[in-house]
Structure formats: C-alpha cells, structure tokens
Amino acid sequence: MRGNALLLFSTARLMALPSTPLDRDELRQLLDHHAERINTPDFIAADPVQFPRRYSSLPDIEIASLLAATLAWGRRDMICRDCTRLFSDVMSDRPYEFVKSGAYENLPDFNIHRTFFSANLRYYLRGLAAIYRRHGSLADFARAAGIAKAPYPSFELAARLGNALAEANGGLTDSRCLPVNLSTTPLKRLNMALRWLVRQDGIVDMGVWDSTVMSPSQLVIPLDVHVARTSRALGLLTRASDDRRSAEIITSALASFRPDDPVLYDFALFGLGVESAS
C-alpha cells in the first residue's frame, strides 16, 4: 500500500508530494505517524514549551506561556536563549511574583528578543497585573469573558486581552505584544500558548485549562512558516497567504481527521517543516 510506503519517505521527498497527492486515508496515516513520532518528551528540551513547564502554580504557568510564546519567532535556539534570560535572570524564575510586585516598572531599557524590548515587556505586564488583580488567573479572565462560546475562542481571547492591555496602558496598543488586526492575523503566538495550556494528552502540552475555559477541539493551528510549508506540500492549503483564513482552513481540515483534538497535528506539520529546512 502506498500509504505504508510513505511513512518511510525522507522528509525531503515528503515535501515534494504535490506531484503524488495522497488520498484521505493515506494523509491521516501520515499525519498520525509523524504526530506520534514528534509529540514525545524529547521535543521539550529544544522548544519554548520548556519554560512554562518549569512551574507548578497556574499563574506562573500562564504568564510563562504567554511570554515564551510571544518571543517564539526566529530560530528556536535563540528563542530559548532569550527566554532563559527573561525568566531566570530578569524574573528570578518567579514570573507571577514579578508581575504582582510591579518590579517590571524598574527595568532598564534593553533588548529581550529581536524587536521585543523591555518597554514592550512593561506594557504587557501592566496589563497582566491588572488581569490578575481582578480575576486571579488568566483562565478565570477567559472564563468570565465566555470565550468558549465564540466560534474561534482564541481570537475572542485576543480581543479581550488586547483591550485589557490597552486599558492598563492609557489606551495605547502594542502589536509587538499582541496583534491588532484580528481579522487577518493568524495569531500564531497566542494559539501556540493556548495549545500548551489547553491540550491534555500529558506529553508535551500541559493542559492546565479545562473545558469551562475552552476545549482542545476549539484550538486553532499555530500557523508559522513551517506549518504553512508542510500544509501546502500535503494539499491541506492552497492559499498563498499565511493569514487567519489559512489557519482556519488548515484547522478545519485537521478537524476532519480528529475533531476532538485537531491541533495534535501541529507536531507533524511543524516537525516535518523544520526537518525539511535543516
């Protein structure tokens, strides 16, 4: 059977698959195989998910998830280097205490990661401090906002979170913390943080939020260049733009295979994309 043979393909050959399109069963078999291969504890050490996994309290996990995901663009080794500096050197591995104390207001000006600076961090943490004062956790903030009732809860959360950040910063917005145009952004970084917080298979993702906040079935694929490249190679996406609509299309296609947990396949799509680029 061609589907079984495909599991033995090198990643380089896999990325040439548009010339030999897969049928539905073969595609699911391929995605299942690579998701299982990549979604293992070994994935953690080279990925920014390692940072929220350092902590046991919900506020620490939530804050570390948001910040690590916010810095998650570019090379993963550089992301992890800069996250280490942020959490260990700046926050002394106590992110919630750092937010609660307002210590961020005394930070000097410095570069944290690429175009994200301490001024951007101060902006973000002012908003999070206000959320935690009012709600106690980001989960309770999201629950109170009723995001689970929205067609795409992550985009509803982004809107509510963006409003809270702006309110805490005199009405100003900062797109380096959170995208402003929610009609077009794929919202990759927040969707990544939500994958960590919501998926509950107990392997890489932490699953500290329950279905009263949102369910794994409601997650949207964190669309980056690797996921987009693999999705096009496998026929899951034909659009040229890496935007919100493309993220929705890919997620819908994945949900046809696994409606309860479509974003499990992020491991396959991302992992194959990284391997093909190396």
Side-chain angles (χ1 to χ4, degrees):
M1 178 181 174
R2 187 163 65 101
N4 289 332
L6 282 168
L7 301 184
L8 304 177
F9 273 25
S10 70
T11 302
R13 288 189 68 194
L14 178 62
M15 301 313 291
L17 276 177
S19 61
T20 55
L22 304 177
D23 66 31
R24 176 181 170 81
D25 289 342
E26 289 173 332
L27 181 53
R28 176 165 186 171
Q29 184 183 18
L30 188 70
L31 290 171
D32 283 339
H33 170 78
H34 288 290
E36 182 178 0
R37 176 177 68 85
I38 295 168
N39 181 27
T40 69
D42 290 341
F43 181 88
I44 296 168
D47 192 82
V49 72
Q50 67 183 271
F51 296 97
R53 289 182 63 91
R54 291 180 176 184
Y55 307 110
S56 58
S57 77
L58 181 60
D60 282 332
I61 292 169
E62 291 173 338
I63 293 166
S65 293
L66 289 179
L67 294 180
T70 296
L71 301 191
W73 56 295
R75 285 171 39 190
R76 283 203 294 168
D77 60 335
M78 304 299 281
I79 294 166
C80 291
R81 180 203 67 183
D82 292 342
C83 282
T84 296
R85 180 171 64 168
L86 174 60
F87 293 113
S88 296
D89 298 346
V90 176
M91 295 184 161
S92 301
D93 277 318
R94 301 176 68 188
Y96 177 54
E97 184 61 34
F98 188 82
V99 170
K100 188 170 63 171
S101 70
Y104 50 84
E105 296 292 2
N106 300 319
L107 288 176
D109 293 331
F110 67 98
N111 177 249
I112 295 175
H113 177 69
R114 302 191 71 170
T115 62
F116 192 87
F117 290 81
S118 54
N120 307 112
L121 180 66
R122 285 194 293 270
Y123 177 94
Y124 209 152
L125 297 192
R126 285 185 198 114
L128 291 183
I131 287 172
Y132 279 90
R133 282 195 300 269
R134 295 171 189 166
H135 297 277
S137 71
L138 188 64
D140 284 342
F141 171 78
R143 191 180 289 111
I147 67 164
K149 299 176 183 177
Y152 292 99
S154 62
F155 288 89
E156 181 65 23
L157 178 60
R160 301 299 184 103
L161 183 56
N163 289 340
L165 298 185
E167 182 181 346
N169 286 274
L172 299 175
T173 59
D174 186 343
S175 61
R176 291 178 182 173
C177 295
L178 202 64
V180 175
N181 191 344
L182 297 181
S183 66
T184 58
T185 176
L187 203 63
K188 174 254 183 176
R189 288 175 283 180
L190 184 58
N191 282 323
M192 177 186 292
L194 291 175
R195 196 201 81 198
W196 299 342
L197 293 168
V198 173
R199 285 199 68 254
Q200 298 177 347
D201 64 6
I203 301 174
V204 173
D205 299 323
M206 296 166 289
V208 292
W209 285 7
D210 62 30
S211 60
T212 64
V213 185
M214 66 181 294
S215 300
S217 63
Q218 297 176 297
L219 290 167
V220 173
I221 194 79
L223 181 59
D224 68 1
V225 64
H226 301 296
V227 171
R229 182 187 302 121
T230 313
S231 295
R232 292 188 180 98
L234 295 177
L236 294 169
L237 181 66
T238 58
R239 299 178 76 250
S241 299
D242 295 348
D243 58 7
R244 174 174 174 169
R245 181 60 184 146
S246 290
E248 293 172 355
I249 288 169
I250 296 168
T251 303
S252 178
L254 299 176
S256 72
F257 298 127
R258 195 179 285 261
D260 61 322
D261 190 17
V263 175
L264 164 66
Y265 294 123
D266 183 36
F267 290 99
L269 298 176
F270 173 79
L272 287 169
V274 169
E275 290 169 359
S276 73
S278 61

